[in-house]
């Protein structure tokens, strides 16, 4: 069925709202996404925006508005229901959800990816001073690996008939996991201080050692190596953008390796703007900074 002009306008407005979210919240992903073909860029923004809104629900703004934990979880549950219903119906009164659902319906993002993501967000909304190994594994899968799988389905828009085999799927999952683990180390001070969280099993932020840091950094480097072998098979535009994102986080991982664990308890590392721009320029010309 052909969409009506009114629905077309509503959907375009929803996509524009998603693009505004990625532009406001992430310079790294925002810059990298500019290397994507327009159609793919819009879909990635839709995925990012929904993920960001859910993350903001559990990471502070809702609490700052005066909501207690049960209310935060209720809002998160409502967002999940709205998302799943919108994928089924093709419409939501929430612009971010509507944009995501439009992209999900087009690319094959289904409940099998959406539900684990919201499960991980509920883990954030529940008091957990420390994760054990099983909780950590579930959280990484839901918060990062399935998001990588969502993005892979959007990248497939660039090449008609693209087959998503296990090599590509594993690369997408490992790239998402690498991004998440980098952020665990970057956000150590905020997670343990403001939010009272510690994601990495056995790691005590108060006594975090260089040896413990090195183990996580090595794990991230391995994830990125696996991911890059799959990135090389992506369509041209998606490959450039994903290479840029992987290289940006690879650079962050190098900085984490060079930063003493004691400093990570109080400092958040970042890539200087000039270095970011160099990585983007190299990726845009088909080269890598690694």
């Amino acid at each position: 069925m052909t969409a009506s002009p009114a629905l077309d306008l509503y959907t375009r407005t929803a996509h524009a709202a998603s693009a505004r979210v990625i532009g406001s919240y992430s310079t790294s992903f925002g810059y990298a996404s500019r290397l994507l073909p327009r159609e793919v860029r819009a879909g990635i923004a839709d995925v990012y925006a929904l993920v960001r809104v859910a993350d903001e629900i559990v990471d502070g703004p809702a609490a700052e508005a005066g909501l207690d934990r049960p209310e935060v979880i209720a809002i998160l549950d409502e967002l999940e229901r709205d998302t799943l219903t919108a994928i089924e119906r093709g419409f939501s009164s929430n612009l971010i959800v509507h944009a995501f659902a439009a992209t999900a319906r087009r690319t094959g993002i289904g409940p099998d990816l959406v539900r684990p993501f919201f499960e991980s967000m509920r883990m954030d909304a529940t008091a957990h001073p420390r994760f054990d190994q099983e909780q950590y594994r579930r959280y990484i899968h839901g918060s990062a690996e399935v998001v990588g799988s969502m993005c892979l389905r959007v990248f497939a828009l660039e090449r008609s008939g693209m087959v998503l085999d296990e090599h590509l799927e594993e690369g997408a999952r490992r790239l998402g996991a690498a991004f998440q683990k980098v952020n665990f180390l970057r956000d150590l001070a905020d997670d343990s201080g403001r939010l009272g969280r510690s994601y990495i099993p056995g790691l005590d932020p108060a006594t975090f050692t260089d040896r413990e840091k090195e183990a996580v950094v090595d794990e991230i480097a391995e994830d990125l190596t696996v991911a890059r072998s799959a990135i090389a098979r992506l369509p041209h535009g998606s490959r450039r953008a994903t290479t840029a994102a992987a290289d940006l986080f690879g650079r962050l991982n190098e900085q984490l390796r060079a930063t003493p664990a004691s400093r990570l308890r109080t400092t958040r590392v970042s890539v200087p703007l000039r270095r970011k721009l160099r990585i983007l320029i190299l990726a845009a010309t088909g080269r890598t900074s690694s």
Side-chain angles (χ1 to χ4, degrees), residues 6-8 32 40 68 100 110 117 121 123 202 211 252 261 264 276:
L7 180 57
D8 283 341
V40 178
D68 60 20
F100 176 84
F117 168 72
M121 293 297 98
M123 293 173 75
R211 179 175 293 182
L252 280 168
L264 293 180
K276 284 183 181 180

Side-chain angles (χ1 to χ4, degrees), residues 6 73 75 84 94-95 190 204 216 224 226 236 269 271 274 285:
I73 293 174
I75 289 175
L84 293 171
N94 180 321
L95 284 173
D190 188 54
D204 183 348
V216 181
L224 288 172
V226 173
H236 177 67
V269 303
V271 177
R274 181 177 296 180
T285 57

